Coordinates of all heavy atoms in Angstrom, one line a residue:
M1 N 0.8 -1.2 0.0 CA 0.0 0.0 0.0 C 0.9 1.2 0.0 O 1.9 1.3 0.7 CB -0.9 0.0 1.2 CG -2.0 -0.9 1.2 SD -3.1 -0.5 2.6 CE -4.5 -1.4 2.0
K2 N 0.5 2.2 -0.7 CA 1.2 3.5 -0.8 C 0.7 4.4 0.3 O -0.5 4.2 0.8 CB 0.9 4.1 -2.1 CG 1.4 3.3 -3.3 CD 2.8 3.4 -3.5 CE 3.3 2.7 -4.7 NZ 4.7 2.7 -4.9
I3 N 1.5 5.3 0.7 CA 1.1 6.2 1.8 C -0.1 7.1 1.4 O -0.9 7.4 2.3 CB 2.3 7.1 2.2 CG1 2.1 7.8 3.5 CG2 2.7 8.1 1.1 CD1 2.2 7.0 4.7
K4 N -0.2 7.4 0.1 CA -1.4 8.2 -0.3 C -2.7 7.4 0.0 O -3.7 8.0 0.4 CB -1.3 8.5 -1.7 CG -2.4 9.4 -2.3 CD -2.1 10.0 -3.6 CE -3.2 10.8 -4.2 NZ -4.2 11.3 -3.5
E5 N -2.7 6.1 -0.3 CA -3.9 5.3 -0.1 C -4.2 5.2 1.4 O -5.4 5.3 1.8 CB -3.6 3.9 -0.6 CG -3.4 3.7 -2.1 CD -3.0 2.3 -2.5 OE1 -3.0 1.4 -1.6 OE2 -2.7 2.2 -3.7
L6 N -3.2 5.1 2.2 CA -3.4 5.1 3.7 C -3.9 6.4 4.2 O -4.7 6.4 5.1 CB -2.1 4.7 4.4 CG -1.6 3.3 4.1 CD1 -0.2 3.1 4.7 CD2 -2.6 2.2 4.6
R7 N -3.4 7.5 3.7 CA -3.8 8.8 4.1 C -5.3 9.1 3.9 O -6.0 9.8 4.6 CB -3.0 9.9 3.5 CG -1.6 10.1 4.0 CD -1.0 11.4 3.5 NE 0.4 11.4 3.8 CZ 1.0 11.7 5.0 NH1 0.2 12.0 6.0 NH2 2.3 11.7 5.1
D8 N -5.8 8.5 2.8 CA -7.2 8.6 2.4 C -8.2 7.8 3.3 O -9.4 8.0 3.3 CB -7.5 8.3 1.0 CG -6.8 9.2 0.0 OD1 -6.5 10.4 0.5 OD2 -6.5 8.9 -1.1
M9 N -7.7 6.9 4.1 CA -8.5 6.0 4.9 C -8.9 6.7 6.2 O -8.2 7.6 6.7 CB -7.7 4.7 5.3 CG -7.5 3.9 4.1 SD -6.6 2.4 4.6 CE -6.2 1.6 3.1
S10 N -10.0 6.2 6.8 CA -10.4 6.7 8.1 C -9.5 6.1 9.2 O -8.8 5.1 9.0 CB -11.9 6.4 8.4 OG -12.0 5.0 8.4
S11 N -9.6 6.6 10.4 CA -8.8 6.1 11.5 C -9.2 4.7 11.8 O -8.4 3.8 12.2 CB -9.0 7.0 12.7 OG -8.5 8.2 12.5
E12 N -10.5 4.4 11.7 CA -11.0 3.0 12.0 C -10.5 2.0 11.0 O -10.1 0.9 11.3 CB -12.5 3.0 12.0 CG -13.1 3.8 13.2 CD -13.3 5.3 12.8 OE1 -13.2 5.6 11.7 OE2 -13.3 6.0 13.8
H13 N -10.5 2.4 9.7 CA -10.0 1.6 8.7 C -8.5 1.4 8.8 O -7.9 0.3 8.6 CB -10.3 2.1 7.3 CG -10.2 1.1 6.2 ND1 -9.2 1.1 5.4 CD2 -11.1 0.1 5.8 CE1 -9.3 0.1 4.5 NE2 -10.5 -0.5 4.8
L14 N -7.7 2.4 9.2 CA -6.3 2.3 9.5 C -6.0 1.3 10.6 O -5.1 0.4 10.5 CB -5.7 3.6 9.8 CG -5.2 4.5 8.7 CD1 -4.7 5.8 9.3 CD2 -4.2 3.9 7.8
A15 N -6.8 1.3 11.6 CA -6.6 0.4 12.7 C -6.9 -1.1 12.2 O -6.2 -2.0 12.7 CB -7.6 0.7 13.9
L16 N -7.8 -1.3 11.4 CA -8.1 -2.6 10.8 C -7.0 -3.1 9.9 O -6.5 -4.2 10.0 CB -9.4 -2.5 10.0 CG -9.9 -3.9 9.5 CD1 -10.2 -4.8 10.6 CD2 -11.1 -3.6 8.6
V17 N -6.4 -2.2 9.1 CA -5.3 -2.5 8.3 C -4.1 -2.9 9.1 O -3.4 -3.9 8.9 CB -4.9 -1.3 7.3 CG1 -3.6 -1.6 6.6 CG2 -6.0 -1.2 6.3
L18 N -3.9 -2.2 10.2 CA -2.8 -2.4 11.1 C -2.9 -3.8 11.8 O -2.0 -4.6 11.8 CB -2.7 -1.4 12.2 CG -1.6 -1.5 13.3 CD1 -0.2 -1.5 12.6 CD2 -1.7 -0.5 14.3
K19 N -4.1 -4.1 12.2 CA -4.4 -5.4 12.8 C -4.1 -6.6 11.8 O -3.5 -7.5 12.1 CB -5.8 -5.5 13.3 CG -6.2 -6.8 14.0 CD -7.6 -6.8 14.5 CE -8.0 -8.1 15.0 NZ -9.3 -8.4 14.9
D20 N -4.7 -6.4 10.6 CA -4.5 -7.4 9.6 C -3.0 -7.6 9.2 O -2.5 -8.7 9.0 CB -5.3 -7.1 8.3 CG -6.8 -7.2 8.5 OD1 -7.2 -7.9 9.5 OD2 -7.5 -6.6 7.7
S21 N -2.3 -6.5 9.1 CA -0.9 -6.6 8.8 C 0.0 -7.3 9.8 O 0.9 -8.1 9.6 CB -0.3 -5.2 8.5 OG -0.9 -4.6 7.4
R22 N -0.4 -7.0 11.1 CA 0.3 -7.6 12.2 C 0.1 -9.1 12.2 O 1.0 -9.9 12.5 CB -0.1 -7.0 13.5 CG 0.6 -5.7 13.7 CD 0.3 -5.1 15.1 NE 1.2 -3.9 15.4 CZ 0.9 -3.0 16.3 NH1 -0.2 -3.1 17.0 NH2 1.8 -2.0 16.5
E23 N -1.2 -9.5 12.0 CA -1.5 -10.9 11.9 C -0.8 -11.6 10.8 O -0.3 -12.7 11.0 CB -3.0 -11.1 11.8 CG -3.8 -10.8 13.1 CD -5.3 -10.8 12.9 OE1 -5.8 -11.2 11.8 OE2 -6.0 -10.5 13.9
K24 N -0.8 -11.0 9.7 CA -0.1 -11.6 8.5 C 1.4 -11.7 8.8 O 2.0 -12.7 8.4 CB -0.4 -10.7 7.2 CG 0.2 -11.4 6.0 CD -0.3 -10.6 4.8 CE 0.2 -11.3 3.5 NZ -0.1 -10.6 2.3
L25 N 2.0 -10.7 9.4 CA 3.4 -10.8 9.7 C 3.7 -11.9 10.7 O 4.7 -12.6 10.5 CB 3.9 -9.4 10.3 CG 5.3 -9.3 10.7 CD1 6.2 -9.5 9.4 CD2 5.6 -8.0 11.4
F26 N 2.8 -12.1 11.6 CA 3.0 -13.2 12.6 C 3.0 -14.5 11.9 O 3.8 -15.4 12.1 CB 1.9 -13.1 13.6 CG 1.9 -14.2 14.6 CD1 2.8 -14.3 15.6 CD2 1.0 -15.3 14.5 CE1 2.9 -15.3 16.5 CE2 1.0 -16.3 15.4 CZ 2.0 -16.3 16.4
R27 N 2.0 -14.7 11.0 CA 1.9 -15.9 10.2 C 3.1 -16.2 9.3 O 3.6 -17.3 9.2 CB 0.6 -16.0 9.4 CG -0.6 -16.3 10.2 CD -1.9 -16.5 9.4 NE -2.6 -15.2 9.5 CZ -2.9 -14.4 8.6 NH1 -2.6 -14.6 7.3 NH2 -3.5 -13.2 8.8
L28 N 3.6 -15.1 8.7 CA 4.8 -15.2 7.9 C 6.0 -15.6 8.7 O 6.8 -16.4 8.2 CB 5.0 -13.9 7.1 CG 4.1 -13.6 5.9 CD1 4.3 -12.2 5.4 CD2 4.3 -14.6 4.8
R29 N 6.1 -15.0 9.9 CA 7.3 -15.4 10.7 C 7.2 -16.8 11.1 O 8.2 -17.5 11.2 CB 7.3 -14.5 12.0 CG 7.8 -13.1 11.7 CD 7.8 -12.2 12.9 NE 8.5 -11.0 12.7 CZ 8.3 -9.9 13.4 NH1 7.6 -10.0 14.5 NH2 8.9 -8.8 13.1
L30 N 6.0 -17.3 11.5 CA 5.9 -18.7 11.8 C 6.3 -19.6 10.6 O 7.0 -20.6 10.8 CB 4.5 -19.0 12.3 CG 4.1 -18.7 13.7 CD1 2.6 -19.0 13.9 CD2 5.0 -19.4 14.7
Q31 N 5.8 -19.2 9.5 CA 6.0 -20.0 8.3 C 7.5 -20.0 8.0 O 8.1 -21.0 7.5 CB 5.3 -19.4 7.1 CG 5.3 -20.2 5.8 CD 4.5 -19.6 4.7 OE1 3.9 -18.6 4.9 NE2 4.5 -20.3 3.6
A32 N 8.2 -18.9 8.2 CA 9.6 -18.8 7.9 C 10.4 -19.7 8.9 O 11.4 -20.2 8.5 CB 10.1 -17.3 8.1
R33 N 9.9 -19.8 10.1 CA 10.6 -20.7 11.1 C 10.4 -22.2 10.7 O 11.3 -23.0 10.9 CB 10.1 -20.5 12.5 CG 10.3 -19.1 13.0 CD 11.7 -19.0 13.6 NE 11.8 -17.7 14.2 CZ 13.0 -17.0 14.2 NH1 14.0 -17.5 13.6 NH2 13.0 -15.9 14.8
M34 N 9.2 -22.5 10.2 CA 8.8 -23.9 10.0 C 9.3 -24.4 8.6 O 9.8 -25.6 8.5 CB 7.3 -24.1 10.0 CG 6.7 -23.7 11.3 SD 7.3 -24.9 12.6 CE 6.4 -24.3 14.0
E35 N 9.2 -23.6 7.7 CA 9.6 -24.0 6.3 C 10.1 -22.8 5.5 O 10.1 -21.7 6.0 CB 8.4 -24.6 5.6 CG 7.2 -23.6 5.5 CD 5.9 -24.3 5.1 OE1 5.5 -25.3 5.7 OE2 5.3 -23.8 4.1
R36 N 10.4 -23.0 4.3 CA 10.9 -21.9 3.5 C 9.7 -21.1 3.0 O 8.7 -21.6 2.6 CB 11.6 -22.5 2.2 CG 13.0 -22.1 2.2 CD 13.6 -22.6 0.9 NE 14.4 -21.6 0.3 CZ 15.7 -21.5 0.5 NH1 16.3 -22.4 1.3 NH2 16.4 -20.5 0.0
L37 N 9.9 -19.8 3.0 CA 8.9 -18.8 2.5 C 9.0 -18.8 0.9 O 10.0 -18.9 0.3 CB 9.1 -17.4 3.0 CG 8.8 -17.2 4.4 CD1 9.2 -15.7 4.8 CD2 7.4 -17.4 4.7
D38 N 7.8 -18.7 0.3 CA 7.7 -18.5 -1.1 C 8.3 -17.2 -1.5 O 9.0 -17.1 -2.5 CB 6.3 -18.6 -1.6 CG 5.7 -20.0 -1.3 OD1 6.5 -21.0 -1.3 OD2 4.5 -20.1 -1.2
S39 N 8.0 -16.2 -0.8 CA 8.5 -14.8 -1.1 C 8.9 -14.1 0.2 O 8.1 -13.6 0.9 CB 7.5 -14.0 -1.9 OG 6.4 -13.8 -1.1
P40 N 10.2 -14.2 0.5 CA 10.7 -13.6 1.8 C 10.4 -12.0 1.8 O 10.4 -11.4 2.9 CB 12.2 -13.9 1.8 CG 12.3 -15.0 0.9 CD 11.3 -15.0 -0.1
S41 N 10.3 -11.5 0.6 CA 10.0 -10.0 0.6 C 8.7 -9.6 1.2 O 8.5 -8.4 1.6 CB 10.1 -9.5 -0.8 OG 9.1 -10.1 -1.6
E42 N 7.8 -10.6 1.4 CA 6.5 -10.3 2.0 C 6.7 -9.8 3.5 O 6.0 -9.0 4.0 CB 5.6 -11.5 2.0 CG 5.0 -11.8 0.6 CD 4.1 -10.7 0.2 OE1 3.2 -10.2 1.0 OE2 4.2 -10.2 -1.0
L43 N 7.7 -10.4 4.2 CA 8.0 -9.9 5.5 C 8.3 -8.5 5.6 O 7.8 -7.7 6.4 CB 9.2 -10.7 6.1 CG 9.0 -12.2 6.5 CD1 10.3 -12.9 6.8 CD2 8.1 -12.2 7.7
R44 N 9.2 -8.0 4.7 CA 9.6 -6.6 4.6 C 8.4 -5.7 4.3 O 8.2 -4.7 4.8 CB 10.7 -6.5 3.6 CG 11.3 -5.1 3.5 CD 12.5 -5.0 2.6 NE 13.0 -3.7 2.5 CZ 13.2 -3.0 1.4 NH1 12.9 -3.6 0.3 NH2 13.6 -1.8 1.4
K45 N 7.6 -6.2 3.3 CA 6.5 -5.4 2.9 C 5.5 -5.2 4.0 O 5.0 -4.1 4.2 CB 5.8 -6.0 1.7 CG 6.5 -5.9 0.4 CD 5.8 -6.7 -0.7 CE 6.6 -6.7 -2.0 NZ 6.0 -7.5 -3.0
N46 N 5.2 -6.2 4.8 CA 4.3 -6.1 5.9 C 4.9 -5.2 7.0 O 4.1 -4.4 7.6 CB 4.0 -7.5 6.5 CG 2.8 -8.1 5.7 OD1 1.7 -7.6 5.7 ND2 3.1 -9.2 5.1
K47 N 6.2 -5.3 7.3 CA 6.8 -4.4 8.2 C 6.7 -2.9 7.8 O 6.4 -2.0 8.6 CB 8.3 -4.7 8.4 CG 8.5 -6.0 9.2 CD 10.0 -6.3 9.3 CE 10.3 -7.6 9.9 NZ 11.8 -7.8 10.0
Q48 N 6.8 -2.7 6.5 CA 6.7 -1.3 6.0 C 5.3 -0.8 6.1 O 5.1 0.4 6.5 CB 7.1 -1.2 4.5 CG 8.6 -1.3 4.4 CD 9.0 -1.4 2.9 OE1 8.2 -1.7 2.0 NE2 10.3 -1.0 2.6
I49 N 4.3 -1.6 5.8 CA 2.9 -1.2 6.0 C 2.6 -0.9 7.4 O 2.0 0.2 7.7 CB 2.0 -2.3 5.5 CG1 2.1 -2.4 3.9 CG2 0.5 -2.0 5.9 CD1 1.3 -3.6 3.3
I50 N 3.1 -1.7 8.4 CA 2.9 -1.5 9.8 C 3.5 -0.1 10.2 O 2.9 0.7 10.9 CB 3.4 -2.6 10.6 CG1 2.5 -3.9 10.4 CG2 3.5 -2.3 12.1 CD1 3.1 -5.2 10.9
A51 N 4.7 0.1 9.7 CA 5.4 1.4 10.1 C 4.6 2.6 9.5 O 4.5 3.6 10.2 CB 6.8 1.3 9.6
R52 N 4.2 2.5 8.3 CA 3.4 3.6 7.7 C 2.1 3.9 8.4 O 1.8 5.1 8.7 CB 3.1 3.3 6.2 CG 4.3 3.3 5.3 CD 4.0 3.0 3.9 NE 5.2 3.0 3.1 CZ 5.4 2.2 2.1 NH1 4.5 1.2 1.8 NH2 6.5 2.2 1.4
V53 N 1.4 2.8 8.8 CA 0.2 3.0 9.5 C 0.4 3.6 10.9 O -0.3 4.6 11.3 CB -0.6 1.7 9.7 CG1 -1.8 1.8 10.6 CG2 -1.1 1.2 8.3
L54 N 1.4 3.1 11.6 CA 1.7 3.7 12.9 C 2.2 5.2 12.8 O 1.8 6.0 13.7 CB 2.8 2.9 13.6 CG 2.4 1.5 14.1 CD1 3.6 0.7 14.6 CD2 1.4 1.6 15.1
T55 N 2.9 5.5 11.8 CA 3.3 6.9 11.6 C 2.1 7.8 11.3 O 2.0 8.9 11.9 CB 4.3 7.0 10.4 OG1 5.4 6.2 10.7 CG2 4.7 8.4 10.1
L56 N 1.2 7.3 10.5 CA 0.0 8.1 10.2 C -0.9 8.3 11.5 O -1.4 9.4 11.7 CB -0.9 7.5 9.1 CG -0.4 7.7 7.7 CD1 -1.2 6.9 6.7 CD2 -0.4 9.1 7.3
Q57 N -1.0 7.2 12.2 CA -1.8 7.3 13.5 C -1.1 8.3 14.4 O -1.9 9.1 15.1 CB -1.9 6.0 14.1 CG -2.8 5.0 13.4 CD -2.9 3.7 14.1 OE1 -2.0 3.2 14.8 NE2 -4.0 3.0 13.9
K58 N 0.2 8.3 14.5 CA 0.9 9.3 15.4 C 0.7 10.7 14.9 O 0.5 11.6 15.7 CB 2.4 8.9 15.5 CG 3.1 9.7 16.5 CD 2.6 9.4 17.9 CE 3.5 10.1 18.9 NZ 3.1 9.9 20.3
E59 N 0.8 10.9 13.6 CA 0.6 12.2 13.0 C -0.8 12.7 13.3 O -1.0 13.9 13.7 CB 0.8 12.2 11.5 CG 2.2 12.1 11.0 CD 2.3 12.0 9.5 OE1 1.2 11.9 8.8 OE2 3.4 11.9 9.0
R60 N -1.8 11.9 13.2 CA -3.2 12.3 13.4 C -3.4 12.6 14.9 O -4.1 13.5 15.3 CB -4.2 11.2 13.0 CG -4.2 11.1 11.5 CD -5.2 10.0 11.0 NE -5.2 9.9 9.6 CZ -6.0 9.1 8.9 NH1 -6.9 8.4 9.5 NH2 -5.9 9.1 7.6
E61 N -2.7 11.8 15.8 CA -2.8 12.0 17.2 C -2.2 13.4 17.6 O -2.8 14.2 18.3 CB -2.1 10.9 17.9 CG -2.1 11.0 19.4 CD -1.3 9.9 20.0 OE1 -1.5 8.7 19.7 OE2 -0.4 10.2 20.9
L62 N -1.1 13.7 17.0 CA -0.4 15.0 17.3 C -1.2 16.1 16.7 O -1.3 17.2 17.4 CB 1.0 15.0 16.7 CG 2.0 14.0 17.4 CD1 3.3 14.0 16.6 CD2 2.2 14.4 18.8
A63 N -1.8 16.0 15.6 CA -2.6 17.0 15.0 C -3.8 17.3 15.8 O -4.2 18.5 16.0 CB -3.0 16.7 13.5
A64 N -4.4 16.3 16.3 CA -5.6 16.4 17.2 C -5.2 17.1 18.5 O -6.0 18.0 19.0 CB -6.2 15.1 17.5
A65 N -4.1 16.8 19.1 CA -3.6 17.4 20.3 C -3.3 18.9 20.1 O -3.5 19.7 20.9 CB -2.4 16.6 20.8
K66 N -2.8 19.2 18.9 CA -2.4 20.5 18.6 C -3.6 21.4 18.4 O -3.6 22.6 18.8 CB -1.6 20.6 17.3 CG -1.0 21.9 17.0 CD -0.2 21.8 15.7 CE 0.4 23.2 15.4 NZ 1.2 23.2 14.2
N67 N -4.7 20.8 17.9 CA -5.9 21.6 17.6 C -6.8 21.8 18.9 O -7.7 22.6 18.9 CB -6.8 20.9 16.6 CG -6.2 21.0 15.2 OD1 -5.4 21.9 14.9 ND2 -6.5 20.0 14.4
K68 N -6.4 21.1 20.0 CA -7.2 21.3 21.2 C -6.8 22.6 22.0 O -5.9 23.2 21.9 CB -7.0 20.1 22.1 CG -7.8 18.9 21.6 CD -7.7 17.8 22.6 CE -8.5 16.6 22.2 NZ -8.5 15.5 23.1

């Protein structure tokens, strides 16, 4: 997912994307331990999505605090 796509999402939808990405990363890590991954780059992609979502959530939190 691109950052632009994530910025257009609501906070609730971002939380859902974060949850799904964390679950997928967990499953990929288990799979990596048990057997060979089909595409090891999926681990990196999920980590990047998680980082982007957390960054956006923090930006929104700071913007909300600034507006108060």
Side-chain angles (χ1 to χ4, degrees):
M1 286 189 162
K2 300 285 184 179
I3 192 75
K4 182 168 177 17
E5 295 172 7
L6 293 172
R7 285 191 194 278
D8 294 338
M9 293 182 187
S10 66
S11 296
E12 294 82 22
H13 197 260
L14 272 178
L16 185 63
V17 168
L18 179 63
K19 181 182 175 205
D20 290 342
S21 294
R22 283 184 169 162
E23 288 175 3
K24 188 173 181 182
L25 181 62
F26 177 75
R27 281 184 260 122
L28 285 170
R29 283 181 173 161
L30 280 178
Q31 188 179 1
R33 298 275 188 219
M34 301 293 182
E35 59 192 53
R36 242 187 137 93
L37 285 177
D38 294 333
S39 59
S41 63
E42 285 296 313
L43 284 169
R44 183 171 180 238
K45 288 177 186 175
N46 275 298
K47 287 180 186 180
Q48 286 177 336
I49 291 172
I50 291 169
R52 286 178 183 146
V53 170
L54 290 174
T55 301
L56 281 174
Q57 286 179 335
K58 187 66 174 180
E59 283 177 0
R60 290 179 181 185
E61 179 184 312
L62 291 174
K66 186 178 179 181
N67 290 335
K68 285 186 178 182

